[in-house]
């Protein structure tokens, strides 16, 4: 969920992708841009990222019975923009056993300032956008907000409110480095320790 490199390059991204495929025993994965990977505005870092990962954000994927929404929060930090809100509201839920995964770099949870690595772009201490989609979220078996910019004295944080799970991690300057992995087929979430 972002901030993979301070100074990204095509070579570094290729090496990273090879490492993940080899060590995590997976062929398909989702990378979310972080501010260190792409900055906050148009620049060469963003160009390099989108050469490697040819994807538009927000991006909706349906895998098996689950929905995955990838968000570029370097554009709208700490919030769900109207495109994302409408995407969620317009999901045609076919099965009540479906889960929704929302993947973002900047922390998407109430009171993000308590764990966020940085607060650039933070407009509110609560995630007010949740009120707009709350009724829709109740229709899913589980909803996972997975964010990657934790680092304010914490490298991993998780809490649950009914069926909504807020999972935040950050590589930061910590000795142990973890990557969150989830298997959409069986619905499991695990950590890969680097």
């Amino acid at each position: 969920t972002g901030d993979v490199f301070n100074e990204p390059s095509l070579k570094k991204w290729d090496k990273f992708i090879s490492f993940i495929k080899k060590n995590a025993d997976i062929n398909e994965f989702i990378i979310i841009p972080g501010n260190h990977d792409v900055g906050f505005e148009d620049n060469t870092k963003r160009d390099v990222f989108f050469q490697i990962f040819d994807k538009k954000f927000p991006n909706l994927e349906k895998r098996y019975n689950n929905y995955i929404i990838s968000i570029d929060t370097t554009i709208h930090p700490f919030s769900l923009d109207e495109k994302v809100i409408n995407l969620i509201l317009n999901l045609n839920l076919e099965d009540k056993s479906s889960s929704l995964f929302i993947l973002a770099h900047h922390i998407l949870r109430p009171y993000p300032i308590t764990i966020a690595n940085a607060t650039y772009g933070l407009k509110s201490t609560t995630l007010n956008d949740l009120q707009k989609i709350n009724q829709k979220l109740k229709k899913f078996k589980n909803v996972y907000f997975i964010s990657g910019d934790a680092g304010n004295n914490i490298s991993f944080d998780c809490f649950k409110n009914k069926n909504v799970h807020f999972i935040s991690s950050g590589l930061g300057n910590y000795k142990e480095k973890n990557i969150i992995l989830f298997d959409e087929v069986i619905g499991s979430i695990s950590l890969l320790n680097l």
Side-chain angles (χ1 to χ4, degrees), residues 123-189:
K123 295 181 176 96
S124 173
T125 57
T126 63
L127 186 58
N128 295 331
D129 306 329
L130 285 176
Q131 295 170 344
K132 297 176 184 176
I133 58 172
N134 191 40
Q135 291 305 313
K136 186 69 168 197
L137 298 183
K138 289 178 183 178
K139 296 180 180 183
F140 287 94
K141 178 180 177 185
N142 285 297
V143 177
Y144 299 93
F145 283 88
I146 301 176
S147 306
D149 196 35
N152 184 4
N153 298 317
I154 191 166
S155 64
F156 186 80
D157 180 73
C158 180
F159 78 90
K160 178 180 175 184
N161 182 4
K162 298 179 183 169
N163 69 323
V164 180
H165 308 256
F166 299 92
I167 302 169
S168 305
S169 70
L171 296 178
N173 291 318
Y174 296 96
K175 192 173 191 175
E176 290 186 16
K177 310 286 187 187
N178 297 308
I179 295 178
I180 297 173
L181 301 174
F182 64 92
D183 184 325
E184 69 268 7
V185 177
I186 60 174
S188 71
I189 295 179

Side-chain angles (χ1 to χ4, degrees), residues 31 33 36 73 82 90 95 117 121 123 157 160 175 191:
I31 296 285
H36 290 276
T73 54
E82 287 303 315
N90 291 318
D95 186 342
N117 185 45
K123 295 181 176 96
D157 180 73
K160 178 180 175 184
K175 192 173 191 175
L191 288 177

Side-chain angles (χ1 to χ4, degrees), residues 18-19 25 41 83-84 89 95 116 123 137 146 171 182:
S18 295
F19 173 83
D25 194 29
E41 298 174 11
K83 285 182 187 176
V84 175
L89 293 175
D95 186 342
K123 295 181 176 96
L137 298 183
I146 301 176
L171 296 178
F182 64 92

Side-chain angles (χ1 to χ4, degrees), residues 18-161:
S18 295
F19 173 83
I20 293 295
K21 286 182 176 180
K22 178 182 174 192
N23 291 290
D25 194 29
I26 56 176
N27 290 318
E28 191 172 350
F29 57 92
I30 299 170
I31 296 285
I32 307 300
N35 53 289
H36 290 276
D37 304 317
V38 300
F40 286 103
E41 298 174 11
D42 288 337
N43 61 62
T44 56
K45 287 182 179 183
R46 189 173 293 274
D47 295 340
V48 167
F49 183 89
F50 286 106
Q51 280 179 3
I52 299 286
F53 305 103
D54 184 27
K55 180 184 286 196
K56 301 269 188 233
F57 292 96
N59 184 65
L60 172 65
E61 298 178 41
K62 185 171 183 191
R63 295 192 186 178
Y64 302 94
N65 200 33
N66 300 311
Y67 297 89
I68 302 168
I69 298 176
S70 305
I71 304 169
D72 180 358
T73 54
T74 64
I75 304 297
H76 299 282
F78 302 101
S79 66
L80 301 173
D81 67 20
E82 287 303 315
K83 285 182 187 176
V84 175
I85 290 168
N86 289 331
L87 195 59
I88 293 168
L89 293 175
N90 291 318
L91 284 174
N92 186 11
L93 203 56
E94 300 164 3
D95 186 342
K96 292 188 181 208
S97 67
S98 295
S99 289
L100 172 63
F101 295 86
I102 300 170
L103 310 177
H105 174 62
H106 291 92
I107 306 296
L108 295 177
R109 58 163 267 182
Y111 307 102
I113 197 166
T114 59
I115 64 166
N117 185 45
T119 58
Y120 177 84
L122 182 65
K123 295 181 176 96
S124 173
T125 57
T126 63
L127 186 58
N128 295 331
D129 306 329
L130 285 176
Q131 295 170 344
K132 297 176 184 176
I133 58 172
N134 191 40
Q135 291 305 313
K136 186 69 168 197
L137 298 183
K138 289 178 183 178
K139 296 180 180 183
F140 287 94
K141 178 180 177 185
N142 285 297
V143 177
Y144 299 93
F145 283 88
I146 301 176
S147 306
D149 196 35
N152 184 4
N153 298 317
I154 191 166
S155 64
F156 186 80
D157 180 73
C158 180
F159 78 90
K160 178 180 175 184
N161 182 4

